[in-house]
Amino acid sequence: MRFPTPLVPAHLLRRYKRFLSDVVLDDGREVTAHCPNPGAMLGLKDDGARVWLLPNDDPKKKLKYGWRLVELPDGHFAGIDAGLPNTLVKEALAEGRIEALRGYSSIRPEQKYGDENSRIDFLLSDPGRPDAFVEVKNCHLRRDDDWAEFPDCVTERGAKHLRELTKIAQSGSRAVMLYVVQRTDCTRFRLAPDLDPAYARAFDAARDAGVEVLCHGTDITPDGITLTGPLPVDPNPQSPAP
C-alpha cells in the first residue's frame, strides 16, 4: 500500500488523549496530528521521536495531518496506524501472498459470527473446504532482542476474539489468528504475558483447541507499507507461570 501523498517528517512533542499528538515540522511549525492508535504505544511515543505525517486537504477534517510512522534506529521504521493491518491483509489475500491462506475463491471482510456479537475480520470460503475465519491483530511492541510482542496493554476485546475462535475451531471450521508486525526491526513473535496475563491464557487455550497462529512482517518506508513473509511464532506456552 502506497501512501496517497508524500509523508512529511516531524518531531514528536507529545501524544495525548489517545488520538492526538503535537509535533514540530522541519520548518519549525507546531501542528496537531491525528493519532490512529488507541493503544499504549509503548516505546513509540517518546518526546522528540522522529515521526512521519500524512498531510491532507480534506475540508471535512479538522486536523490536517495524520501520524503514520515512527523512525527507529539503524534505518528501521514502525507503523502506528492500528487499522492498517486489515487493509494490508486484504490486499495480500486478494493477491495470494499469504501462503497459508491461499486457494479460497471468496474473501468476505467484516462478517458477523459467534454468540458474542462479534465480527470476524475475514471469512474465507471455497466449495469443498471448511470456511476459514481469520482475525487480524496489529503488533508493534518490541522490548527484548528482535522479538515482536502482543499486546502492549490489557485487551479484553482481544481475549474475547480468542474465545470465539476457539469455538470456531471446535466446531470443525478453520480458525486463524493472524498478527501483523508493523515494525521492521523484529524477526520473531511472542506474547507479552506480563502486560495481559488473561490474554496469554486465552491464547494458549485457543492454540490447544486448534486455532492456527500466523504472524507476518511488513516492509515500511515513507513511501508505503507492504505485508511481507511469515515470521516464526514462539511454540512454547505463553501463559505466565503460576
Side-chain angles (χ1 to χ4, degrees):
M1 183 219 72
R2 291 186 64 85
F3 293 114
T5 57
L7 298 190
V8 175
H11 284 89
L12 182 66
L13 292 177
R14 66 191 68 85
R15 182 253 193 160
Y16 57 102
K17 295 183 179 178
R18 299 173 70 192
F19 297 108
L20 297 175
S21 57
D22 291 338
V23 303
V24 176
L25 304 178
D26 280 1
D27 63 10
R29 286 182 295 147
E30 182 176 332
V31 300
T32 298
H34 175 247
C35 175
N37 192 318
M41 293 180 60
L42 296 179
L44 297 176
K45 58 182 180 181
D46 297 338
D47 295 352
R50 180 75 163 174
V51 299
W52 291 77
L53 314 176
L54 179 67
N56 76 83
D57 56 4
D58 187 344
K60 297 180 181 179
K61 292 185 177 181
K62 181 178 179 181
L63 299 178
K64 299 306 178 184
Y65 294 92
W67 182 6
R68 291 295 180 269
L69 305 180
V70 177
E71 192 167 330
L72 304 171
D74 300 321
H76 290 287
F77 289 92
I80 64 103
D81 185 346
L84 184 63
N86 282 52
T87 299
L88 301 179
V89 170
K90 183 178 180 179
E91 290 178 352
L93 287 172
E95 297 169 1
R97 290 192 287 108
I98 302 179
E99 184 175 359
L101 299 174
R102 287 177 183 164
Y104 290 92
S105 57
S106 173
I107 302 171
R108 289 175 288 170
E110 292 294 321
Q111 297 295 302
K112 289 184 178 180
Y113 79 116
D115 55 10
E116 294 189 38
N117 295 317
S118 294
R119 286 182 179 270
I120 194 70
D121 288 323
F122 296 97
L123 176 58
L124 312 183
S125 304
D126 197 66
R129 304 175 66 183
D131 288 345
F133 293 75
V134 182
E135 183 69 25
V136 178
K137 295 297 182 191
N138 176 64
C139 172
H140 50 39
L141 173 63
R142 178 195 177 204
R143 298 182 296 176
D144 179 43
D145 202 12
D146 59 353
W147 286 102
E149 296 181 314
F150 183 90
D152 64 359
C153 60
V154 173
T155 171
E156 295 180 4
R157 184 168 176 264
K160 183 187 79 167
H161 290 156
L162 286 172
R163 292 193 297 269
E164 289 282 17
L165 288 175
T166 298
K167 294 176 184 177
I168 293 297
Q170 291 170 338
S171 75
S173 292
R174 190 179 179 192
V176 181
M177 183 70 251
L178 171 55
Y179 298 93
V180 174
V181 177
Q182 271 205 92
R183 57 185 302 156
T184 59
D185 57 356
C186 295
T187 63
R188 47 187 175 163
F189 173 83
R190 67 185 180 189
L191 294 194
D194 57 314
L195 299 180
D196 191 346
Y199 185 87
R201 289 190 291 269
F203 176 93
D204 284 344
R207 191 156 58 171
D208 289 345
V211 174
E212 301 172 49
V213 179
L214 304 177
C215 180
H216 275 251
T218 49
D219 179 64
I220 304 174
T221 73
D223 293 324
I225 303 179
T226 305
L227 194 76
T228 57
L231 300 181
V233 178
D234 186 356
N236 298 308
Q238 300 294 290
S239 300

